[in-house]
């Protein structure tokens, strides 16, 4: 692990894949860029000097580059600070990566459905051609098809592992083949659920693949979905551009403060991962005894994708019973499938009893 900090990272011609107006962009210079320190009379940022109407003062703008959080992340992830970007959720990083590399009408991005929906939505918001190469029937990358789909205008390729909504981890060998064959654009590996899996993070591969961006989030294993904090790990050149394009104060002061505390509480994360994985196995064993369950995809995440007999009706029944799951039946390759997030033992027990009632 220590190696990562010491290694020389391979470089590429980043200017070639970043849009010229972004490469040349003079970023917003915030009031606090010119002065470092907490002591002084701050009359530079049009803040309210009297504080805020709360017991705690939130009247000052937060650190635009979230230095304290990054220092902590360096320790946890064994990655240098200039290799880390922090976004308002990893959704922000997804959008920025598209905006800095893809021009509408010229470039394209590749996604591998069924996968996380925001890649497509962000691509559509930015009016970028989206090339879809479906996963195979066992939810693996269709490597040959992906390689054939790449052309000189492909700027981004999204891989999600463990994948949402299927929950499986993607074969490492397939990802290496893609990384070796596509170096004229950015390969994004979204590891939102990596903490629930035994898989090694691709952050360890950053020194060898200059086009690699790894996304992670505090919304899942850390239990901080509401605070909104996602991370992109990449070569400092890519991080520099992400920081140029992001809104100056994208992470609120309240979030920065709470996240710092949470990052110091490693025990909670470890314990909840272990509880979730135990509950997942229990839930799977219970589901396997129910007649209406056709198959369960092996999961390396905090959810499972289950194929049911008459999933649509089951989903409606569960909603009426105030048990909310995610119906994925209309998604290609997920016909009759419902994605179920692992809940507390009590919640899972209720879910199982409702499903049993439905099929009784
Ligand atoms: C694969 C994947 N990536 C990213 C995200 C978004 O994460 P964040 O909450 O950090 O925006 C999600 C959320 O469900 C996800 O499933």
């Amino acid at each position: 692990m220590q190696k990562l900090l010491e290694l020389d990272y391979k470089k590429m011609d980043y200017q070639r894949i970043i849009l010229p107006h972004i490469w040349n962009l003079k970023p917003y210079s915030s009031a606090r860029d010119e002065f470092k320190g907490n002591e002084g009379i701050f009359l530079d940022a049009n803040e309210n000097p009297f504080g805020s109407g709360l017991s705690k003062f939130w009247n000052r703008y937060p650190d635009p580059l979230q230095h304290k959080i990054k220092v902590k992340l360096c320790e946890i992830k064994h990655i240098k600070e200039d290799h880390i970007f922090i976004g308002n959720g990893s959704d922000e990083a997804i959008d920025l990566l598209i905006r800095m590399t893809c021009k509408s009408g010229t470039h394209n991005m590749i996604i591998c459905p069924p996968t996380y929906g925001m890649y497509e939505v962000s691509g559509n918001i930015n009016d970028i051609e989206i090339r879809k190469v479906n996963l195979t029937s066992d939810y693996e990358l269709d490597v040959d098809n992906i390689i054939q789909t790449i052309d000189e205008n492909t700027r981004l390729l999204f891989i999600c592992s463990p994948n949402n909504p299927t929950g499986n981890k993607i074969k490492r060998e397939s990802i290496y083949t893609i990384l070796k064959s596509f170096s004229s654009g950015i390969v994004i590996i979204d590891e939102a659920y990596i903490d629930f899996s035994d898989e090694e993070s691709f952050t360890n591969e950053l020194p060898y693949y200059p086009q690699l961006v790894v996304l992670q989030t505090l919304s899942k294993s850390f239990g901080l979905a509401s605070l909104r904090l996602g991370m992109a790990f990449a070569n400092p050149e890519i991080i520099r551009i992400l920081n140029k394009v992001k809104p100056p104060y994208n992470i609120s002061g309240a979030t920065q403060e709470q996240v710092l505390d949470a990052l110091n509480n490693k025990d909670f994360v470890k314990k909840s991962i272990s509880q979730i994985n135990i509950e997942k196995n229990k839930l799977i064993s219970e589901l396997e005894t129910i007649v209406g369950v056709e198959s369960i995809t092996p999961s390396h995440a905090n959810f499972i994708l289950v194929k049911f007999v008459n999933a649509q009706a089951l989903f409606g029944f569960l909603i009426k019973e105030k048990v909310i799951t995610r119906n994925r039946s209309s998604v290609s390759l997920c016909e009759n499938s419902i994605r179920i997030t692992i809940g507390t033992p009590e919640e899972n027990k209720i879910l199982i009893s409702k499903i049993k009632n439905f099929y009784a």
Side-chain angles (χ1 to χ4, degrees), residues 273-286:
I273 292 169
S274 144
Q275 279 176 317
I276 286 168
N277 281 336
I278 290 170
E279 279 306 308
K280 179 166 66 182
N281 292 335
K282 269 176 26 193
L283 191 60
I284 291 171
S285 304
E286 288 278 1

Side-chain angles (χ1 to χ4, degrees), residues 223-287:
L224 300 173
S226 177
L227 290 184
R228 312 302 303 129
L229 194 134
M231 300 152 281
F233 304 103
N235 188 286
E237 279 292 285
I238 296 179
I239 301 298
R240 185 177 67 83
I241 304 291
L242 281 165
N243 281 330
K244 255 188 3 163
V245 181
K246 78 175 181 70
Y249 305 108
N250 59 331
I251 308 296
S252 79
T255 292
Q256 294 195 38
E257 195 176 298
Q258 296 290 307
V259 161
L260 256 187
D261 281 351
L263 290 178
N264 283 320
N265 190 351
K266 280 194 209 136
D267 285 349
F268 169 80
V269 180
K270 231 172 112 185
K271 205 167 149 208
S272 55
I273 292 169
S274 144
Q275 279 176 317
I276 286 168
N277 281 336
I278 290 170
E279 279 306 308
K280 179 166 66 182
N281 292 335
K282 269 176 26 193
L283 191 60
I284 291 171
S285 304
E286 288 278 1
L287 284 166

Side-chain angles (χ1 to χ4, degrees), residues 24-195:
N24 296 319
L25 179 76
K26 195 170 171 302
Y28 176 72
S29 135
S30 79
R32 290 294 130 78
D33 283 346
E34 279 128 52
F35 178 82
K36 300 275 168 264
N38 298 321
E39 298 296 314
I41 297 172
F42 290 101
L43 306 176
D44 56 348
N46 302 343
E47 297 151 337
N48 185 335
F50 300 107
S52 44
L54 297 166
S55 54
K56 188 170 166 82
F57 281 12
W58 295 108
N59 55 326
R60 300 292 177 194
Y61 282 101
D63 175 4
L65 290 173
Q66 310 95 17
H67 173 66
K68 287 186 187 155
I69 295 176
K70 284 179 186 164
V71 168
K72 197 72 210 160
L73 286 174
C74 293
E75 210 182 291
I76 298 171
K77 306 282 178 188
H78 308 278
I79 289 176
K80 285 190 195 153
E81 186 169 349
D82 59 355
H83 292 67
I84 306 173
F85 167 81
I86 295 183
N88 191 265
S90 31
D91 283 344
E92 183 175 41
I94 292 167
D95 176 61
L96 294 180
L97 284 161
I98 296 172
R99 279 203 273 152
M100 67 197 228
T101 57
C102 295
K103 182 177 176 190
S104 173
T106 304
H107 301 118
N108 66 75
M109 52 182 258
I110 297 179
I111 64 170
C112 306
T115 194
Y116 180 47
M118 275 308 286
Y119 312 142
E120 183 169 1
V121 172
S122 283
N124 284 335
I125 290 169
N126 289 288
D127 195 23
I128 304 305
E129 181 196 346
I130 298 168
R131 298 189 175 176
K132 296 183 185 176
V133 182
N134 277 357
L135 296 177
T136 58
S137 56
D138 54 353
Y139 301 140
E140 289 294 342
L141 292 179
D142 185 346
V143 176
D144 290 342
N145 215 336
I146 291 173
I147 291 171
Q148 275 169 25
T149 304
I150 294 168
D151 67 13
E152 70 279 8
N153 289 317
T154 303
R155 284 283 166 93
L156 300 173
L157 198 165
F158 286 89
I159 297 169
C160 188
S161 181
N163 186 43
N164 177 4
T166 56
N168 61 307
K169 59 182 179 187
I170 302 293
K171 273 192 199 129
R172 263 186 114 74
E173 275 320 305
S174 303
I175 301 180
Y176 283 121
T177 308
I178 299 283
L179 282 167
K180 286 185 183 120
S181 344
F182 178 53
S183 54
S184 56
I186 291 177
V187 177
I188 297 155
I189 304 182
D190 187 340
E191 295 185 338
Y193 300 96
I194 188 87
D195 293 344

